[in-house]
Amino acid sequence: MDTKSLMVDIATKLFQQKGYKGVGLNELLKACNITKGALYHHFPNGKEELLIACLQSLNEAITTDIESIFQQHPSTQEATHAMIEKLITNLETDGTITGYTFSSIVSEMASLSEPVRNACGALYEKIQDIYRNKLLTDGFSIESASSVSLFMTASIEGAMMLCLTQKSTDPLRTISKILPNLLKEF
Amino acid sequence: MDTKSLMVDIATKLFQQKGYKGVGLNELLKACNITKGALYHHFPNGKEELLIACLQSLNEAITTDIESIFQQHPSTQEATHAMIEKLITNLETDGTITGYTFSSIVSEMASLSEPVRNACGALYEKIQDIYRNKLLTDGFSIESASSVSLFMTASIEGAMMLCLTQKSTDPLRTISKILPNLLKEF
DNA sequence: CCTAACATACCGATCGGTCTGTTTACTACT
DNA sequence: AGTAGTAAACAGACCGATCGGTATGTTAGG
């Protein structure tokens, strides 16, 4: 793996876990086992540029990951269940958020940096699109599919928040149990 | 208003908007028009102690606020609608999150400080309790009420996140439109 | 030999926190 | 009533550590 990709990979995890301001440059460099020279060679605009690269990388990773799950299951309901199961496994194995979320970055940076806000927005959008398309093939109307996909995104994101504060995966499990009711409703 | 309360009030807003690490002590002191001496007199353990005081204050404020809304409306559905309307108004008037959320603090601090994590957990718990009790009077079973109240908390929290990235109040509006479907389901 | 890919020393600014005054308010005693 | 004492409520200078960022090397590959 080349240095740049390595940096993005490690930085992504750190940013997800501790937030943008929560990760210092020195800490980051030590984790990657590189120096400032390397960082500013690949990312001349420094930390924020690295963050945006991380968000873009995350965008691709999440998209392909979720998309593959949604292709493997016939209905939105089953796909969602499988996806949340995977989220739970992730959360259980490394204790912190490393999955399809980046809430810390959103809430920290949305009001501070437009580029970062846009990158986060793009990511949410893409996730919602996958849900939406699946819902459409399930037979939902365009309007319903849009609303429900937003609802799914929001509730899963919120549930991860609750998992963090409770140090438990129960909230995600509950969401997983309740979501089907919503998907049948329409 | 005494100095201590003033500090908590202003700090609460700043922490909600910029996150914990996003607010420097000097910035905070300037906003309150006080000095370090005053801060460390009232909060000997510094910034983190202030944060916890803010979370506790927020706890009371949110609780009484939501509780009053839920008392004024007969059903969970109507109360929820009114509450989200208020959230939207808040978001529109000052552009940033100042309402019933503190997601930035959760995602930043949950893995770093146990006391902070607990304080955040207590707050979510209390909000959920209000929902749950209302659902019980609506005739929901204990189990259903617990699940649905968690679902409500998560989806509203997540929706605020989406509002931030989109710089729009639409996600909250969508949630508000969809939630009743869930509340009828059971 | 020239450029990409680093390494490292260094920078001012800011971080949260401490320490030592000083002012104010209130109490206790004569 | 006047005064002395005391503790709470600040104010502000100062601290080392760390922040993100820069400037100047050095090294290795084509």
Side-chain angles (χ1 to χ4, degrees):
Chain A
M1 170 118 56
D2 62 334
T3 307
K4 193 170 180 177
S5 307
L6 183 86
M7 287 172 54
V8 169
D9 275 18
I10 296 182
T12 301
K13 265 201 180 176
L14 286 176
F15 284 147
Q16 277 187 295
Q17 289 171 1
K18 303 185 168 195
Y20 179 67
K21 305 222 167 165
V23 183
L25 276 194
N26 291 324
E27 176 189 0
L28 192 63
L29 299 172
K30 202 183 288 178
C32 301
N33 206 27
I34 56 164
T35 60
K36 289 218 171 136
L39 202 170
Y40 282 90
H41 171 72
H42 292 291
F43 304 98
N45 291 335
K47 202 183 173 188
E48 182 162 329
E49 189 181 351
L50 172 61
L51 172 63
I52 292 177
C54 288
L55 288 172
Q56 283 164 353
S57 150
L58 203 59
N59 194 327
E60 283 180 41
I62 292 180
T63 301
T64 55
D65 210 12
I66 296 185
E67 215 146 40
S68 110
I69 293 178
F70 269 67
Q71 274 170 3
Q72 285 167 35
H73 296 85
S75 69
T76 305
Q77 188 178 323
E78 289 163 285
T80 306
H81 181 77
M83 186 189 69
I84 294 182
E85 279 305 313
K86 192 169 179 188
L87 274 176
I88 291 174
T89 306
N90 281 356
L91 200 57
E92 273 173 348
T93 49
D94 34 60
T96 52
I97 283 189
T98 53
Y100 312 148
T101 192
F102 39 96
S103 43
S104 50
I105 295 153
V106 174
S107 40
E108 259 183 296
M109 300 291 293
S111 57
L112 274 89
S113 162
E114 275 291 301
V116 173
R117 193 181 63 79
N118 287 329
C120 291
L123 222 172
Y124 278 130
E125 195 103 359
K126 223 166 177 184
I127 294 176
Q128 267 187 66
D129 267 3
I130 300 175
Y131 299 161
R132 212 175 102 259
N133 288 333
K134 193 73 172 178
L135 287 166
L136 287 174
T137 67
D138 279 3
F140 280 69
S141 73
I142 295 178
E143 205 190 332
S144 292
S146 298
S147 298
V148 172
S149 63
L150 186 146
F151 201 90
M152 287 172 59
T153 310
S155 56
I156 292 171
E157 194 70 32
M160 299 216 68
M161 218 71 143
L162 294 177
C163 287
L164 274 184
T165 63
Q166 292 180 23
K167 267 196 174 176
S168 153
T169 54
D170 288 344
L172 271 175
R173 291 181 203 281
T174 303
I175 297 288
S176 183
K177 239 184 283 174
I178 299 250
L179 262 179
N181 292 75
L182 193 74
L183 297 176
K184 277 179 194 159
E185 172 70 20
F186 287 82
Chain B
M1 169 116 56
D2 63 336
T3 306
K4 194 171 181 178
S5 307
L6 183 87
M7 286 172 54
V8 169
D9 276 17
I10 295 181
T12 301
K13 266 201 180 174
L14 286 176
F15 284 147
Q16 277 187 295
Q17 288 171 2
K18 302 186 169 193
Y20 180 67
K21 306 222 168 167
V23 183
L25 275 195
N26 291 325
E27 175 189 0
L28 191 63
L29 298 173
K30 203 184 286 177
C32 301
N33 205 29
I34 56 164
T35 60
K36 290 231 170 119
L39 202 171
Y40 282 89
H41 171 72
H42 292 291
F43 303 98
N45 291 335
K47 202 184 174 188
E48 181 163 330
E49 190 182 349
L50 172 61
L51 171 63
I52 293 178
C54 288
L55 289 172
Q56 284 165 353
S57 151
L58 203 58
N59 194 327
E60 284 181 39
I62 292 179
T63 301
T64 56
D65 210 11
I66 296 186
E67 214 146 40
S68 109
I69 293 178
F70 270 67
Q71 275 170 4
Q72 284 168 35
H73 296 86
S75 70
T76 305
Q77 189 178 322
E78 288 162 286
T80 306
H81 181 76
M83 187 190 68
I84 295 182
E85 279 304 314
K86 193 171 178 186
L87 275 175
I88 291 173
T89 307
N90 282 356
L91 200 58
E92 274 173 347
T93 48
D94 33 62
T96 51
I97 284 187
T98 52
Y100 312 148
T101 192
F102 39 96
S103 43
S104 50
I105 295 154
V106 174
S107 41
E108 257 184 294
M109 299 292 291
S111 57
L112 274 89
S113 163
E114 275 291 302
V116 172
R117 193 181 64 78
N118 287 327
C120 291
L123 222 171
Y124 278 130
E125 193 104 358
K126 225 168 176 182
I127 294 177
Q128 266 186 68
D129 266 3
I130 300 175
Y131 298 161
R132 212 175 102 258
N133 288 332
K134 192 73 173 180
L135 287 166
L136 287 174
T137 67
D138 280 3
F140 280 69
S141 73
I142 295 178
E143 205 189 332
S144 293
S146 298
S147 299
V148 173
S149 62
L150 186 146
F151 201 89
M152 286 171 60
T153 310
S155 56
I156 292 171
E157 194 70 31
M160 300 215 67
M161 219 71 144
L162 294 177
C163 287
L164 273 183
T165 62
Q166 293 181 22
K167 268 197 173 174
S168 151
T169 53
D170 288 344
L172 272 175
R173 291 182 203 282
T174 304
I175 298 287
S176 183
K177 238 184 283 174
I178 299 249
L179 263 179
N181 292 73
L182 192 75
L183 297 176
K184 277 178 195 158
E185 173 69 19
F186 288 82

